[in-house]
Amino acid sequence: MAYETILYESSDGVATITLNRPAKLNAFNDKMIGETTDAFKAAGRDETVRCIILTGAGRGFSSGQDLGDFQGREESVSIGEHLRHGYHRLIRQMVSLEKPIVGAINGIAAGAGCGVALAADIRIASDSASFMLAFSRIGLIPDSGTNWFLPRIIGYARAFEMAVTADRVPADRALEWGLVNSVVPAEQLPEITAAWARRLADGPTLAYGLTKRAMNRGWGMSLDEALEYEAYLQEVAGRSQDNREGIAAFLEKREARFSGS
Ligand code: LHQ
């Protein structure tokens, strides 16, 4: 697919979306928000794609909103509408996509870039990566889902600290806080991410998608509601080819060959 601000490639069940404005540390302009949303939509529709990697070109993951692009628009553009029509669509697209998304966090994830990183299901960070709620430096509140994701992932006190200090949280502290799944040497990030994606794409991806739905919807549910929802989704998973294959493989003492159906 031909995009201007991102790269999109798909092979062997894994689609890779690369944010590609490296001179600006992959700051999001309107085009890049739209193209990234579109790429996730395409990956969702493509039945051959079973796992998606999201990463950044160059030394940054994403520095958030392109502030140059936004400068001078303050009076004429509603920030609320900009968020609703841009980042909100992207974040919703990622969270509702019933395929695992691996964030390969290659460098700084700041502002809305941090929000997009948090919408991935698994984050593998390079040892040179960092996370930063840059918003308060420019007199804004955190947005792009960060107020929702961060307290849930790292707890309120740490999330609030990140919001008010706007300090960079380096990869090692991000790991300690549970903000990332693992930290790897920068030069090994592509290889280790690819191994993760391979493992996920070869797994029971229908069940992974339903797991993602159960966990994301479960945040807002009571225990009773969550139990009921699990039972409903398990009914669906229990009728899958992957469930039959998984049980057969166990009984035959062999590796399962999951198809995602
Ligand atoms: C940039 C950016 C950038 C443009 C680096 N824009 N050029 C939603 C709705 C509406 C309005 C506002 O915002 C939002 C959501 C948000 O995302 S708000 C938060 C926006 N992001 C920021 O405030 C972060 C701004 N960037 C930085 O503070 C630094 O660049 C960080 C800490 C990310 C990285 O610092 P360094 O590693 O020292 O790199 P650098 O500052 O030298 O940046 C490299 C280049 O990238 C530089 O350009 P230049 O031509 O001088 O080489 C920067 O101007 C450019 N760049 N971020 N967001």
Side-chain angles (χ1 to χ4, degrees):
M1 252 168 280
Y3 290 116
E4 274 176 38
T5 60
I6 62 166
L7 303 172
Y8 182 89
E9 53 153 344
S10 169
S11 78
D12 224 5
V14 178
T16 302
I17 299 170
T18 306
L19 306 174
N20 192 28
R21 303 184 74 222
K24 294 193 170 193
L25 302 181
N26 306 317
F28 279 97
N29 59 10
D30 293 355
K31 186 113 197 151
M32 194 165 93
I33 302 172
E35 289 190 341
T36 311
T37 309
D38 191 66
F40 274 110
K41 206 177 288 177
R45 286 187 184 143
D46 184 341
E47 285 177 12
T48 66
V49 171
R50 295 173 65 192
C51 178
I52 298 110
I53 295 173
L54 176 66
T55 193
R59 70 178 177 90
F61 175 77
S62 170
S63 57
Q65 172 64 41
D66 187 323
L67 296 175
D69 198 49
F70 215 76
Q71 196 184 22
R73 284 167 57 175
E74 298 92 342
E75 303 305 318
S76 56
V77 173
S78 146
I79 293 189
E81 288 305 297
H82 179 70
L83 290 169
R84 287 184 196 101
H85 293 294
Y87 295 106
H88 293 190
R89 284 187 181 158
L90 170 57
I91 305 279
R92 284 203 190 96
Q93 181 67 42
M94 291 175 70
V95 171
S96 63
L97 185 65
E98 295 196 353
K99 299 181 185 186
I101 301 172
V102 181
I105 315 300
N106 55 301
I108 189 156
C114 184
V116 172
L118 297 178
D121 303 303
I122 282 180
R123 278 169 291 286
I124 313 296
S126 118
D127 53 10
S128 59
S130 57
F131 295 82
M132 178 185 177
L133 290 187
F135 306 90
S136 64
R137 286 200 183 183
I138 54 169
L140 292 180
I141 69 156
D143 63 26
S144 305
T146 48
N147 293 305
W148 192 86
F149 287 118
L150 262 188
R152 287 172 165 82
I153 298 172
I154 61 174
Y156 176 83
R158 286 167 171 164
F160 194 78
E161 176 186 328
M162 280 183 74
V164 295
T165 63
D167 286 344
R168 287 190 198 212
V169 174
D172 54 351
R173 196 171 324 136
L175 181 63
E176 189 193 321
W177 285 4
L179 194 44
V180 298
N181 296 66
S182 65
V183 176
V184 304
E187 65 279 8
Q188 289 175 27
L189 182 67
E191 180 193 333
I192 293 173
T193 306
W196 260 100
R198 179 77 273 128
R199 178 176 176 178
L200 292 170
D202 288 342
T205 42
L206 185 138
Y208 292 164
L210 297 175
T211 304
K212 185 167 170 176
R213 204 199 304 178
M215 289 193 175
N216 278 294
R217 299 232 182 135
W219 286 123
M221 290 181 184
S222 67
L223 176 62
D224 282 345
E225 287 165 338
L227 288 172
E228 186 46 41
Y229 197 50
E230 275 176 3
Y232 163 72
L233 294 177
Q234 196 66 295
E235 196 79 49
V236 179
R239 289 197 206 111
S240 68
Q241 168 61 28
D242 282 347
N243 178 230
R244 282 193 293 279
E245 165 63 7
I247 293 172
F250 175 77
L251 295 175
E252 291 162 23
K253 299 188 187 303
R254 61 170 173 83
E255 283 292 312
R257 289 180 295 273
F258 293 118
S259 61
S261 54

